[in-house]
Amino acid sequence: MNVRTLAGKVFTGKTPWTYLYLFLIPFINWCFAAVPQIALPDGGSWTPMAIVTGFVLVVRDFAQREINHWIIGALGVGLALSFLTSDPAVALASTCAFAVSELIDWAVYTFIRRPLSQRVAISTAISAPLDSVVFYAIASTSISGIFNIWSLASSVISKLIGVLVVYLILRRREQRAALAEKAI
């Protein structure tokens, strides 16, 4: 896809997943500092935002379907917006985590020649744990107690549950398309 085609799609509203992706990156990062953490008995804390982080990785896959490899540029825009709207340490943590996980996600999603459902599942299964570890390790420099097993586990589990739901929906669509193709 060339720049002209991309601009035509973006400015005519034919990229709803990309718009959602661009909104979610700074919004989720802002929420990490804005949404209060829940104190845990072990002295650490758990952030409820850990539950929603998986959504952005799945949205990224759909946005990539809309704008192809330009998704890396969309990621850059989203991260730049995060530095304008979020705690600097959270924005930095997000940038580093996204750099690791999104590049893995992009590579797996791009180069594995499997049905969409499998590409989404495999890419997220590999990138989600790495994304969470990198994010919480760096974010803990400004948000005390955020890097703990509970936040990490709930973040990874939420990502995997989210991708499972999307995988099942996509697989069903692929099966229906295959049946329709056989009927022709």
Side-chain angles (χ1 to χ4, degrees):
M1 173 182 313
N2 62 36
V3 174
R4 184 180 214 159
T5 304
L6 174 69
K9 286 180 84 171
V10 169
F11 292 117
T12 58
K14 295 180 181 172
T15 55
W17 290 106
T18 303
Y19 295 138
L20 180 59
Y21 183 61
L22 286 171
F23 168 77
L24 284 174
I25 294 170
F27 177 72
I28 289 173
N29 288 334
W30 174 79
C31 286
F32 268 102
V35 172
Q37 295 182 54
I38 297 170
L40 297 174
D42 67 358
S45 60
W46 176 75
T47 176
M49 289 307 299
I51 295 172
V52 299
T53 56
F55 187 56
V56 73
L57 295 178
V58 174
V59 169
R60 190 216 65 82
D61 289 335
F62 287 105
Q64 183 172 343
R65 289 191 75 203
E66 292 175 341
I67 63 173
N68 298 326
H69 300 298
W70 293 98
I71 195 66
I72 301 297
L75 170 63
V77 170
L79 291 172
L81 291 171
S82 289
F83 276 97
L84 296 174
T85 61
S86 306
D87 175 290
V90 171
L92 178 62
S94 181
T95 299
C96 294
F98 268 120
V100 170
S101 68
E102 291 292 319
L103 289 174
I104 291 168
D105 208 30
W106 170 80
V108 169
Y109 183 86
T110 300
F111 297 114
I112 289 182
R113 298 291 172 218
R114 299 227 176 159
L116 176 63
S117 62
Q118 291 178 19
R119 287 187 291 160
V120 168
I122 293 167
S123 66
T124 304
I126 294 170
S127 66
L130 292 171
D131 175 85
S132 297
V133 167
V134 170
F135 177 81
Y136 287 115
I138 296 171
S140 68
T141 63
S142 87
I143 302 173
S144 156
I146 195 172
F147 188 42
N148 59 63
I149 192 66
W150 305 110
S151 291
L152 187 60
S154 59
S155 179
V156 171
I157 290 168
S158 77
K159 291 171 186 173
L160 297 178
I161 289 171
V163 79
L164 176 63
V165 170
V166 172
Y167 168 77
L168 294 172
I169 292 167
L170 290 174
R171 193 178 82 188
R172 180 181 290 177
R173 284 184 188 169
E174 291 165 354
Q175 289 170 339
R176 277 191 255 147
L179 287 173
E181 193 173 295
K182 284 182 182 179
I184 296 176

